[in-house]
Amino acid sequence: MSGQLTLPEKPKSKFSLYKRIVIFIIIALIYIWTFTSLEIRWDTIFSESTLDNMDRIIPKFFQPAVEETGNILEMMFETLFIAYTGSLAAAIIAVPLAFLCASNMVSNKFLNNIGMWILGGVRAFPEIVLAIIFVAAVGPNPFAGVLAIAIGSTGMLGKLYSEVIESIDMNIIEALEASGANKLQILFYGIFPQVLPEFLSYAIYRFEIDVRASSVLGIVGAGGIGTLITFAYMNRNWEEVGMILLVIIITVTIIDQISGFIRKRLV
Amino acid sequence: MIEFNDVSLVYPNGTEGLKNIDLKINEGEFVVIVGLSGAGKSTFIRSINRLVTPTSGSLLVEDEDILKANGTDLRRLRTKIGMIFQSYNLVKRSTVLKNVISGRLGYTGTLTSILNIFSKEDKLLAYENLKRVNIEEKLYNRADELSGGQQQRVSIARVLTQKPKLILADEPVASLDPPTSHQVMKYLKQINREDKITTIVNLHFIDMAMEYADRIIGMRAGEVVFDGPVSDVTEQTFEEIYGRSIRDEDRRGGVEDE
């Protein structure tokens, strides 16, 4: 029996073939266009001076300035503090915005959209741009970094939170409503137990991202290890840059591991 | 006592959920509402605690028209009405105790309940009610560690903790297997007998309706097509309510499996 069984032929459509060709041509054109308009000077890239620089600089990365460790670690901790404070603030600010956006909590479409616009608008700014704005506003110190991280993270956390809220089991809300509980009691007994573990998980994930983001904020003067990178780079002190990179890589890896472990236990 | 006076409900899309319902349910009765899905059983039961709002008529619960109640009044009336659902509706990540004690929320101040402060009596009441449905050993387990039948028993304990005058059960056994279904129905019947709590249950299994009900109300297309004591009910009555002959799927069976 099974020997005679043949799969019915897959319906072919000429349209899909044309579509594929057209898409391929469009992508190829965009590719060619970007490369030609960038004016990459291949001759300088593959010149002797590049090889010289490589030969001179790259090895220095691998002879990190160990004697600077204390100073670098201090700045690394400042970076972590900036990330932590910023993420924590964002994790809290994002909650009311997320409820505003969640269509099962606020049934007014207009208010939902306002919430979405706020979060979308905030997400449109890269942290570094926010940092420049806040350095201008509050001066070149770690507080500017904290603000940049807090505002930048709110956009993403608010969006993710609101998706979590929209996915909760509304029957539980109905059950509490039926027992005569008021809105605040429903929030604390029906909604928070369903969403808080996920909120926390996303907040920790965002902290991971913020540690990376706050490492470069110092470049524009917003505190943290980025300040050291700028100084070392301007002085062509490649050994120190190497050491800074090493510290960042190790710290970020450790944080990733810890956060992954906690997040796995949470949900 | 519950009194429906010419209650009708038209959904915004034009569907008539209830058509001119006129009936009384007396204190302490065990009423089973039967009908095919879509007959309006759920709408009927959900009108009583205003999870849906009928569009006309009056519906007296404990001599108060629940259709006119709003805000605080509605919440106060709802504390007297316990409800059990097909999908148990427990907070899965919370402990059994926390789920059961949430039955007291309607009696507890907002601030104290948010801070999770419940009186000793309330905690003991929750424990006592868990004992009544024989699941007290799961007190500190998370609700999602329990089987379906156990979760439904916890939801019965939650309703009891509410100290209701009336229990509504919307298809309480539809997600359970036959032996567990009978167990849940037996607890409901027992509570109805011992505490004199009026109980209204939606079922679509005719054998279970016959076994547990004092009175059967049959619904079809939003109308009450039969209303009488269980002694008046025969297989033919069900055929009239359902508008078709009785099939195997209309019976839960399984009582002898226990």
Side-chain angles (χ1 to χ4, degrees):
Chain A
M1 278 297 280
S2 63
Q4 287 161 356
L5 194 68
T6 51
L7 209 61
E9 222 170 295
K10 191 177 169 187
K12 271 183 203 156
S13 105
K14 280 192 174 166
F15 177 71
S16 83
L17 182 66
Y18 290 137
K19 207 160 70 176
R20 275 181 217 176
I21 293 172
V22 169
I23 289 171
F24 176 79
I25 292 173
I26 291 173
I27 290 175
L29 282 177
I30 293 173
Y31 203 67
I32 294 165
W33 175 48
T34 48
F35 258 89
T36 48
S37 58
L38 274 176
E39 290 176 32
I40 299 167
R41 292 173 58 192
W42 300 100
D43 52 324
T44 31
I45 291 175
F46 297 104
S47 69
E48 226 161 279
S49 73
T50 310
L51 287 176
D52 270 0
N53 281 338
M54 290 264 194
D55 210 29
R56 216 156 32 80
I57 296 167
I58 304 284
K60 288 192 176 171
F61 280 136
F62 293 99
Q63 300 156 9
V66 186
E67 65 279 4
E68 293 289 332
T69 310
N71 196 18
I72 292 172
L73 273 183
E74 197 183 312
M75 290 308 267
M76 191 67 231
F77 274 107
E78 187 178 282
T79 309
L80 286 182
F81 294 156
I82 291 172
Y84 181 78
T85 318
S87 311
L88 186 66
I92 294 164
I93 302 169
V95 174
L97 285 169
F99 274 91
L100 188 66
C101 292
S103 56
N104 56 345
M105 294 292 133
V106 175
S107 48
N108 186 326
K109 200 94 199 88
F110 180 66
L111 288 176
N112 292 155
N113 282 334
I114 288 184
M116 290 293 187
W117 287 333
I118 295 174
L119 293 179
V122 167
R123 271 203 308 278
F125 287 92
E127 273 88 1
I128 198 91
V129 175
L130 287 170
I132 293 172
I133 296 170
F134 286 117
V135 165
V138 302
N141 55 50
F143 184 57
V146 170
L147 287 175
I149 294 290
I151 303 295
S153 306
T154 303
M156 178 184 125
L157 283 180
K159 181 87 172 48
L160 291 172
Y161 283 7
S162 78
E163 277 163 16
V164 172
I165 297 171
E166 281 179 346
S167 71
I168 65 168
D169 182 357
M170 290 301 283
N171 290 325
I172 292 167
I173 310 322
E174 192 178 42
L176 289 171
E177 229 169 59
S179 76
N182 65 35
K183 290 248 186 304
L184 263 175
Q185 290 173 326
I186 291 172
L187 183 68
F188 276 79
Y189 280 79
I191 300 170
F192 280 168
Q194 292 192 64
V195 298
L196 282 186
E198 256 116 307
F199 278 15
L200 198 55
S201 169
Y202 279 133
I204 293 172
Y205 177 51
R206 184 64 214 194
F207 171 64
E208 236 180 277
I209 298 173
D210 286 342
V211 171
R212 277 181 278 252
S214 55
S215 303
V216 293
L217 289 186
I219 293 175
V220 297
I225 204 159
T227 323
L228 288 185
I229 299 179
T230 322
F231 287 146
Y233 164 76
M234 287 196 301
N235 294 328
R236 300 281 186 268
N237 192 347
W238 304 116
E239 291 90 346
E240 198 180 335
V241 174
M243 189 63 207
I244 295 170
L245 288 179
L246 190 66
V247 170
I248 293 179
I249 291 167
I250 292 174
T251 314
V252 168
T253 313
I254 292 173
I255 301 249
D256 280 8
Q257 292 298 318
I258 297 174
S259 106
F261 175 75
I262 298 176
R263 276 163 28 90
K264 215 182 273 171
R265 299 282 310 259
L266 267 178
V267 186
Chain B
M1 197 174 74
I2 301 157
E3 208 179 317
F4 280 75
N5 292 317
D6 200 27
V7 173
S8 297
L9 188 151
V10 184
Y11 284 109
N13 63 9
T15 320
E16 286 183 283
L18 297 175
K19 283 183 214 161
N20 310 95
I21 309 285
D22 245 314
L23 54 85
K24 273 184 196 167
I25 292 169
N26 299 314
E27 203 93 35
E29 268 188 310
F30 196 105
V31 181
V32 172
I33 320 279
V34 295
L36 294 172
S37 62
K41 303 189 301 276
S42 251
T43 311
F44 179 91
I45 228 169
R46 277 156 196 263
S47 297
I48 300 173
N49 61 0
R50 270 281 296 279
L51 284 182
V52 296
T53 304
T55 39
S56 69
S58 72
L59 205 170
L60 304 185
V61 178
E62 299 280 311
D63 300 321
E64 281 181 80
D65 189 353
I66 196 159
L67 303 189
K68 294 209 174 63
N70 267 317
T72 323
D73 279 338
L74 180 61
R75 285 203 299 276
R76 184 178 46 76
L77 266 173
R78 277 176 172 170
T79 59
K80 299 181 187 174
I81 310 168
M83 188 155 187
I84 292 164
F85 300 83
Q86 175 180 345
S87 48
Y88 334 123
N89 295 359
L90 303 177
V91 180
K92 303 204 168 36
R93 283 196 181 113
S94 298
T95 62
V96 165
L97 176 64
K98 191 162 184 190
N99 270 295
V100 173
I101 211 155
S102 71
R104 293 308 293 167
L105 285 176
Y107 299 94
T108 315
T110 307
L111 193 65
T112 45
S113 59
I114 286 172
L115 297 174
N116 210 359
I117 303 168
F118 286 94
S119 67
K120 191 141 192 173
E121 293 91 81
D122 284 352
K123 284 184 193 158
L124 283 176
L125 180 68
Y127 183 58
E128 194 187 314
N129 289 326
L130 282 169
K131 271 186 132 149
R132 285 191 73 178
V133 290
N134 285 318
I135 196 143
E136 72 274 16
E137 77 276 11
K138 302 285 188 197
L139 188 63
Y140 294 114
N141 285 59
R142 263 168 59 143
D144 55 6
E145 293 165 10
L146 274 58
S147 70
Q150 289 174 324
Q151 289 195 40
Q152 196 59 297
R153 272 144 68 195
V154 171
S155 90
I156 294 176
R158 173 172 67 182
V159 156
L160 283 177
T161 308
Q162 207 180 314
K163 285 196 175 160
K165 295 259 177 8
L166 163 71
I167 291 178
L168 308 173
D170 193 5
E171 295 280 4
V173 299
S175 326
L176 301 173
D177 57 27
T180 322
S181 300
H182 282 284
Q183 196 187 33
V184 165
M185 286 307 289
K186 276 185 180 135
Y187 281 119
L188 284 177
K189 184 80 180 179
Q190 189 188 343
I191 288 157
N192 163 259
R193 283 284 170 275
E194 288 172 4
D195 301 11
K196 306 274 178 291
I197 298 176
T198 315
T199 306
I200 305 173
V201 184
N202 277 351
L203 282 178
H204 59 268
F205 299 115
I206 61 173
D207 52 343
M208 294 198 94
M210 294 292 283
E211 191 173 343
Y212 298 100
D214 296 331
R215 172 178 168 187
I216 286 183
I217 294 174
M219 293 191 72
R220 192 172 59 216
E223 281 177 290
V224 171
V225 293
F226 176 86
D227 183 2
V230 73
S231 50
D232 290 359
V233 177
T234 60
E235 191 149 309
Q236 209 196 333
T237 322
F238 282 108
E239 290 186 341
E240 279 161 21
I241 295 169
Y242 286 11
R244 59 162 173 75
S245 55
I246 297 304
R247 303 172 190 158
D248 271 353
E249 73 216 35
D250 300 327
R251 293 191 177 83
R252 168 110 292 188
V255 71
E256 64 277 11
D257 295 9
E258 288 198 49

